Amino acid sequence: MPRVTYVQPNGERVTLDLEPGSTVMEGAFDHGVDGIVALCGGSCSCSTCHVYVDDEWAERVGQADEGETGTLDFAIDTRPNSRLSCQITLDDRLDGLVVHVPAQQAD
């Protein structure tokens, strides 16, 4: 069961054990993680599930595809490690994943 840690802008951490095949966004939304609003429900058509993938995990998670990159254009304060959490599907290789919630989104 993949474990994901969500880091809030104030440093608070929430660690969840999530089902393989679910997304980082679904786990956050289902457990009430602050800052993951997910207005579009995971259809990659908004940017309200924007996260920063921790540098240690960036290569393993991979880069956003063209569709996701286009949607990230609407996010505030994107960075090279920005991803939409609805587009990160969990499996055992992502056990221990750490993502950071952007400050503007957590407000």
Side-chain angles (χ1 to χ4, degrees), residues 12-99:
E12 179 183 327
R13 294 173 167 259
V14 175
T15 301
L16 302 171
D17 290 317
L18 302 172
E19 291 294 321
S22 66
T23 66
V24 172
M25 183 273 310
E26 290 168 333
F29 190 79
D30 291 348
H31 293 89
V33 174
D34 287 338
I36 306 294
V37 182
L39 288 176
C40 73
S43 64
C44 194
S45 62
C46 75
S47 61
T48 61
C49 70
H50 174 216
V51 295
Y52 304 120
V53 175
D54 195 82
D55 290 339
E56 273 187 49
W57 290 91
E59 187 174 317
R60 208 172 317 177
V61 170
Q63 296 293 314
D65 65 20
E66 189 175 315
E68 182 180 349
T69 301
T71 303
L72 279 166
D73 286 342
F74 298 102
I76 297 171
D77 191 24
T78 58
R79 301 175 186 173
N81 61 338
S82 287
R83 291 292 309 270
L84 297 178
S85 61
C86 68
Q87 299 301 297
I88 304 171
T89 302
L90 296 167
D91 57 31
D92 289 336
R93 69 183 177 80
L94 294 181
D95 182 33
L97 176 64
V98 177
V99 297

